Structure formats: C-alpha cells, structure tokens
Amino acid sequence: MLRSVRKGAKYQRALSASSPIFPGSGLNEDQLVWQDAAQKWGAAELGPFSAEWDAKCHYPIDVIKSSAEQGFLGLYTSEDVGGMGLSRLETSIVVEALSEHCVPTTAMMTIHNMVSWMIDVNGTPEQREEYCPRLTSGEIIGSYCLTEPGSGSDASALATTCVRDGDDYVLNGSKCFISGAGVHDLYAVMVRTDPATKGPKGISCVLIPKDTPGLSFGADETKMGWKSHPTKVLIMENCRVPVSNLLGVEGKGFNIAMSGLNGGRVNIASCSLGGAQKAMLAAKEHLGVRKAFGKTLDSQQYLQYKMAELATQLVTSRLMVRHAAAAIDQKDPAAASLCAMAKLHATDNCSEVANGCLQMFGGYGYLKDYPCEQIVRDLRVHSILEGANEVMRLIISRQLLSE
Amino acid sequence: MVRVAVGVKRVIDYAVKIRVKPDGSGVVKDSVKHSMNPFCEIAVEEAVRLKEKKIAKEIVAFTIGPKQCSETLRTALAMGCDRGVHVNVPQLDALTPLQISKMSAKIAETEAADLLIMGKLAIDGDYGQTAAMTAAILDWPQATNLYSLQHNGDNATVEREIDGGLETNEIKTPAVLSVDLRINQPRYATLPNIMKAKKKKVKALKPADLGVDVAPTLTVVKIAEPPTREAGEIVEDVDALIGKLKDAGRI
C-alpha cells in the first residue's frame, strides 16, 4: 500500500463493498486475495508509468519479465511447469485488476499466458519441458501468430505454407498485427501443412524461436492505442524449423488456435473491464470536484443517471466475463459461445463506458493529462482483435440457431 | 541465529475515506476495505530480510483480533514468515495498547523469541505505545522508530531519524524493535507465495491462554470528524498577523 504511494502512484480512494461497481462483489476470500495482490502490484509497477509508456511508445518488457515472480506469466499454466494453475475465473480476476493500471501491458501479458497454456496443454513432454518453465519464469516471452495480410476474420483461409523437408519444416509466408513481434522470443505460428486441404483441417501450429534463419520482422506499426508494445509483420522466407517444433499433430493447428482463443477472449474482455473501471473511478472523482451552474457536476440529474447507465454497462460486462470464464473451468459445452458473448459484450460496452467517462470531463477529457483518452484509445482494438466482434456474432448465432 | 516474532495488525486500508458513524460511537467499518497496517508490513519485511541474511532462523507472525485477521496473518506468511499465531478477540477496538502489549509480551515468551519487531504505530489508533510498553513488560531493551537495523546475531546497531540527522545506538538481544517508514520497502506477497502460505501453520489462541484480561478498561465517549476547514484570511503585514493571533487567543 505505502509502496505505491511512495513510488508516486496516484493516491486513489478505495471503493467500499457497497459500491455497485466494487470489483470484489461476489468473490470468495481466496479470489479477493488474488485480486488484492494484482491490484497492489499493478498500482505500483504499472499505473504510474502507463501514460509515459504510451506517450513514448516504450515497451516495458523488463517490467513484464519481473511480473513472473508474482506468478503473472503463467496464470493458468500447470504448476509442474512453473505456472500458477489458477482457474480461468481467478485468471480473469487477476487480469482485470492489473489492467486497471495499464491495459496494453496487461493485454500483452495475457497473450503470453495464452501461448504458455497452448504449449502446456498440447505439447509433448519434451516441448513442455523445453518451453513452459522458461515462459512462466519470463526467461522467454511468447507471441501468437494467426492473422495474415490476406486473412483476418477468415482465419482458416490462412496461406503460410509449411512443407516437410527431411527432419525440418520449411515455412513461407507472413503474419501481420503480431503483438510483441521482433522483441519476443517464441512465436506460435499457425501454418498450412496440407496445401491440398483448404480450411481448418490443413492447418498446424509450429513454434518458431526468434533467431531462426528466414524469420524476420517488418517495421513497427503506428497504432491508435496499445502503443507501448510493438506490433509488426512477421515474415517467413524459407524459414526452417525442426519437425519437433510442431505443436500437437498436423491438421490440429486450427483447433489449438481456437481453443487458445476462448481463454484469450476472456482475457481481452477482462482487460476491457479494468480500463473501464479506471475510467469510471476517474469520472466519479471529477464529478465530485468540478463545478458548473453553482454546484458540483454530480448534483446534475442527467450526469447522475448517465453514470448509473455506465455503471450498469460495466457490471453486466463483468458478470458476463466471469460467467464465461467459469464456463471454461467447468468444461461447459456452451463455453465457446459464452466466451464469444463475453468478448462481444464487454469489449463494446467497456469502450462505451470509457467514452462516456471521457465526456464527463468535458474538454479536459480530450487532453492527455487526464486518463480517459488513453483508455478509449487502448480499448478500441479489443472489439477488433482475438476475433472481431462480428465473428463473435457468427460464433454465437451458429450455436444458437443450430438446435 | 535468532528467532523473531513480528506483530501484525489488521486496520482499515489507508486509501479508504474514513466515515464517522452517525451516532459518534466509532467509524464505519462494515464493507470497508481492511489491510495490514503499513508499518506492520515494514516490520514483516525487516524480519524477512533478517532471515534472508541468515541472522534469523524462524519468523513467527502474530495478530490479535477477530477471525478476519487470518487474512492479515496470511499476508505475513506470504511475505515470508514461517508460521503464525492468531489470538482471537472479537472486538479489537475495545482493547488498549496495554492489553495488546501484555499479550505480545506473553507471545514473545512462549514463542521463545529473541527479537520482537513491530511497526512504530498503527494507522487507526495512532497510539505508538505498544512496542515500548511490551519492552517494559518483558524488561527487554527497546529501540523504536528505526531507520535502519544491522544485526550480527547477538547485538544490533540501529539508527533512527532525529531533527539533526541520524542517531545511532547499539542494542543487545533479546530486544523489542519498532520500525519507521523509511527502513525498507516491503515486498509484494506474490501469488506463488500466497499459495505456499496456505500450508503454513497458524496457532489459534484466546486471551485467556495468555493470561490476559480483555475486559474493556477504556470507554470511547465520542468520535467526531475534525471541524470543517474554514476560509482563511489574508492579512496586510506581520503586525496584523500577530494581532489576529492574539485576538484569537492563539498566542
């Protein structure tokens, strides 16, 4: 506590349990302890620096690696390979708490977590030994590579070729919008191993270490938000990896990618929750301070009601995200569509919350001196990546209308 | 190597806006966030550092209060204490520093502690008495409000901040020490250590086990918010200022 104050963190009043947006609502003692630990670390190590990292496009990879000590780099990876073995619900709670202090850094950590889990669950004993302890300890950081210049939402149309040549695979193609590209150590890349089979069944997942000959990266993209970490094109030109780098079996790559994304969607949605929570707290404080027409803004009925609406959007998002997380934990047969619903609902609603909070600040909301504009910029991409919200509708409606 | 006992107190979190109950009988505590007293966190950190330097062989964290204090103890265990003692007292507010000190002294004895480390004060009561009183009850030397601690296994060299700078003292073990803000930066209770802490042993005690009577000896008559700050006044010169201060009976 004093730690964050001494480090210069913004002194923020703690919400009581009677607040409708209290993030601890409905959580048991253990879950509250995880939440508190994440809050404390995030408030001291992320919060005071988030704006600066955004302004300077500085990637705090050292801070991300230092979070391994806290257990944040293997939240739902198995304990035998250095992970915390937390449930998806506990993971969501931790991610939400961290993202309140820096959305993009937390989001990047969740992508790494997703890659770590994919190898944990689909890897051979050798692969698990080789990669997972190093991922969970932060020695190496992972990136997830599915999207290509020619295929985003139509992910299973991916074209990167992966041809067997003796004991190696030779890869040719490119991936785009890869978070952490060029800096991260390990790339989980979805490739087409069976050119004769279009669609998902011809796809495999291959792990490519950073310094593999034939692997190179494009220039850093200039983005609206998530500015603190690099996003680049990944280029494979006769990139050669041993066949032992195949994750799972040939033809199963798409399944691996999609199963990773269920959790990834809950993670991204959880990041939206944290950003929206920060915006709400800032707006709430502002309304109690700023005066117009002779009284503080929180005396104005319209603004009171608007805050109530935004709070309801935030809390319904939180409930949906936690429900989807619990559905994964319980192996609920509807889990995939629930995760899609959570991602669709939380990302859009939390962006609206952030935008609504920005409006509360009036002209000040437009300035970088105040937190809302960065939150709006950071959250915008959540409705686009890890499955565009349009694709979420596809997933939900397909399951909904099939029976 | 020494055995260290560390006292930790569960208090209202420092970031909470304190509200006085309408009837003036106390402050609102229900649904309000509680945490380990910041100075107790610093005390735990100092104890854990002694263990890392292999000066302390074991750290026992103890707390006095209702069942929710087990959370506070768990944090201490997650920061590196080896085991815990929880003296269950349903109404912590009703206890005085003297009663706490008597219990702390007894725990130091029964746990065979060579060092008893505490925070210099708790941010709710703000008494700052417990460490000194406990030392007196134990008849141990005390060093309070510490800025630094160096222990060689037998004796300690300590510093505290004073107006003119730093005051250095030597103190023998066993001793009671209380820590001040700048002695260290407490570590985080990491998720892995929080998990490990679940397996650490906690002994449950009642005040009677320590031979201490916790019947209230202090009655709180009234709690009120400080008076609302009034507008100030700008005066022309120093003479006018002195005049105003005299009129208000301040000098």
Side-chain angles (χ1 to χ4, degrees):
Chain A
M1 298 176 294
L2 271 188
R3 188 184 299 123
S4 54
V5 174
R6 281 190 282 176
K7 276 193 169 187
K10 188 168 191 283
Y11 179 74
Q12 182 129 87
R13 288 290 181 195
L15 275 184
S16 87
S18 351
S19 170
I21 61 170
F22 178 60
S25 174
L27 301 185
N28 66 35
E29 202 188 286
D30 278 346
Q31 290 161 341
L32 289 170
V33 167
W34 303 137
Q35 186 178 66
D36 197 51
Q39 269 290 347
K40 283 202 171 107
W41 190 86
E45 303 294 333
L46 301 181
F49 313 105
S50 181
E52 188 190 332
W53 292 335
D54 172 77
K56 296 186 173 157
C57 296
H58 170 77
Y59 188 26
I61 185 107
D62 53 333
V63 177
I64 290 180
K65 286 182 180 241
S66 78
S67 79
E69 217 183 3
Q70 310 295 321
F72 296 151
L73 294 187
L75 289 166
Y76 51 106
T77 306
S78 303
E79 287 173 88
D80 70 321
V81 285
M84 288 301 302
L86 296 186
S87 69
R88 298 313 180 97
L89 177 56
E90 290 164 331
T91 299
S92 171
I93 289 161
V94 168
V95 168
E96 181 185 346
L98 291 174
S99 63
E100 196 181 313
H101 303 285
C102 185
V103 167
T105 306
T106 307
M108 190 73 256
M109 286 160 68
T110 67
I111 292 171
H112 168 90
N113 266 269
M114 179 170 71
V115 170
S116 176
W117 176 83
M118 282 161 63
I119 302 173
D120 176 23
V121 159
N122 298 287
T124 61
E126 293 75 28
Q127 286 170 331
R128 290 179 84 246
E129 269 295 315
E130 169 69 28
Y131 297 112
C132 291
R134 293 194 290 148
L135 286 162
T136 55
S137 71
E139 189 190 319
I140 57 175
I141 305 292
S143 282
Y144 176 95
C145 312
L146 173 65
T147 299
E148 297 184 352
S151 58
S153 292
D154 191 9
S156 66
L158 66 87
T160 299
T161 58
C162 180
V163 175
R164 181 76 183 253
D165 179 26
D167 289 330
D168 293 335
Y169 283 121
V170 178
L171 284 69
N172 277 287
S174 58
K175 298 289 181 184
C176 63
F177 301 126
I178 305 306
S179 304
V183 177
H184 288 189
D185 309 283
L186 186 68
Y187 299 86
V189 187
M190 272 35 87
V191 297
R192 189 167 300 284
T193 34
D194 183 0
T197 307
K198 303 288 168 214
K201 292 208 185 351
I203 293 171
S204 306
C205 178
V206 172
L207 303 174
I208 311 181
K210 179 174 143 192
D211 294 320
T212 305
L215 182 71
S216 62
F217 305 94
D220 201 7
E221 308 287 5
T222 311
K223 307 187 295 286
M224 173 179 171
W226 278 30
K227 294 171 84 70
S228 55
H229 59 248
T231 305
K232 298 180 183 190
V233 166
L234 193 120
I235 303 154
M236 292 152 283
E237 293 169 300
N238 293 327
C239 178
R240 194 173 272 270
V241 293
V243 292
S244 55
N245 283 28
L246 176 72
L247 190 62
V249 298
E250 285 192 17
K252 281 294 177 199
F254 201 69
N255 287 19
I256 293 173
M258 291 306 112
S259 67
L261 279 183
N262 279 340
R265 284 163 191 165
V266 168
N267 291 339
I268 290 297
S270 305
C271 290
S272 285
L273 296 177
Q277 180 80 5
K278 178 171 172 175
M280 284 292 286
L281 295 177
K284 193 162 91 70
E285 191 195 322
H286 180 74
L287 293 179
V289 163
R290 174 75 178 179
K291 283 191 169 155
F293 306 105
K295 37 194 181 160
T296 50
L297 293 185
D298 58 7
S299 330
Q300 297 288 359
Q301 192 186 71
Y302 178 77
L303 300 180
Q304 292 168 348
Y305 286 12
K306 183 67 188 173
M307 285 298 277
E309 288 164 12
L310 296 176
T312 308
Q313 284 181 276
L314 171 55
V315 177
T316 56
S317 298
R318 183 177 287 145
L319 290 175
M320 184 69 236
V321 171
R322 290 182 182 175
H323 179 57
I328 302 177
D329 291 330
Q330 288 150 24
K331 303 198 187 342
D332 189 318
S337 29
L338 290 174
C339 291
M341 242 184 214
K343 200 261 186 195
L344 168 62
H345 184 86
T347 56
D348 282 348
N349 276 276
C350 288
S351 278
E352 283 179 24
V353 170
N355 199 45
C357 290
L358 191 156
Q359 186 77 1
M360 295 286 168
F361 281 84
Y364 296 102
Y366 204 60
L367 303 182
K368 286 186 185 287
D369 307 68
Y370 293 80
C372 290
E373 67 82 37
Q374 184 187 342
I375 299 171
V376 167
R377 287 188 291 106
D378 283 336
L379 294 189
R380 183 62 186 85
V381 74
H382 297 204
S383 300
I384 299 171
L385 49 55
E386 301 229 4
N389 285 9
E390 290 79 356
V391 174
M392 299 302 102
R393 288 168 168 86
L394 188 109
I395 295 171
I396 298 163
S397 59
R398 192 169 52 193
Q399 188 63 48
L400 176 67
L401 299 175
S402 69
E403 50 174 282
Chain B
M1 290 213 281
V2 297
R3 183 176 283 113
V4 179
V6 184
V8 297
K9 187 179 183 188
R10 178 179 182 262
V11 299
I12 295 178
D13 188 278
Y14 83 99
V16 168
K17 183 170 162 58
I18 303 290
R19 267 177 247 280
V20 175
K21 284 191 206 163
D23 63 1
S25 63
V27 301
V28 175
K29 294 197 161 195
D30 288 339
S31 306
V32 157
K33 181 166 196 238
H34 282 66
S35 312
M36 189 188 293
N37 178 40
F39 293 102
C40 298
E41 274 190 349
I42 294 170
V44 170
E45 174 64 27
E46 203 57 31
V48 173
R49 288 185 187 191
L50 286 176
K51 186 157 172 226
E52 286 170 346
K53 289 180 201 153
K54 301 211 188 311
I55 292 166
K57 59 171 170 269
E58 196 192 25
I59 311 170
V60 181
F62 66 93
T63 194
I64 300 166
K67 66 171 163 52
Q68 295 94 321
C69 295
S70 63
E71 297 156 15
T72 318
L73 217 44
R74 212 177 345 160
T75 307
L77 296 172
M79 285 174 71
C81 298
D82 298 292
R83 54 191 178 81
V85 173
H86 181 177
V87 184
N88 199 311
V89 173
Q91 288 295 345
L92 182 53
D93 288 349
L95 296 185
T96 60
L98 182 57
Q99 289 162 318
I100 302 283
S101 300
K102 287 179 180 172
M103 288 192 264
S104 303
K106 198 71 194 168
I107 290 169
E109 279 176 353
T110 54
E111 299 300 327
D114 304 297
L115 278 181
L116 175 50
I117 308 183
M118 300 175 142
K120 72 169 182 183
L121 56 78
I123 60 172
D124 50 4
D126 252 356
Y127 288 106
Q129 300 171 4
T130 305
M133 279 189 184
T134 310
I137 293 167
L138 286 166
D139 197 26
W140 285 5
Q142 59 177 270
T144 58
N145 296 35
L146 295 184
Y147 172 81
S148 78
L149 165 66
Q150 271 156 331
H151 201 286
N152 62 15
D154 296 306
N155 305 309
T157 306
V158 297
E159 285 176 311
R160 80 156 75 136
E161 290 170 5
I162 56 173
D163 288 345
L166 292 174
E167 176 192 274
T168 312
N169 280 297
E170 310 257 315
I171 184 166
K172 291 202 175 85
T173 309
V176 174
L177 307 174
S178 82
V179 291
D180 204 339
L181 185 66
R182 283 170 281 282
I183 194 172
N184 65 42
Q185 181 100 264
R187 66 195 60 199
Y188 299 106
T190 67
L191 300 196
N193 286 343
I194 291 170
M195 287 276 233
K196 285 185 200 143
K198 289 189 186 195
K199 301 195 180 92
K200 294 182 179 177
K201 287 194 168 54
V202 174
K203 198 191 301 183
L205 293 177
K206 296 186 292 294
D209 300 331
L210 302 170
V212 175
D213 180 5
V214 292
T217 57
L218 202 65
T219 314
V220 171
V221 172
K222 190 177 91 157
I223 301 240
E225 296 220 1
T228 357
R229 196 181 158 144
E230 284 160 20
E233 197 188 322
I234 298 183
V235 293
E236 283 295 313
D237 53 29
V238 174
D239 288 330
L241 173 63
I242 294 174
K244 292 267 179 196
L245 287 171
K246 279 187 173 158
D247 289 343
R250 300 292 191 204
I251 54 171

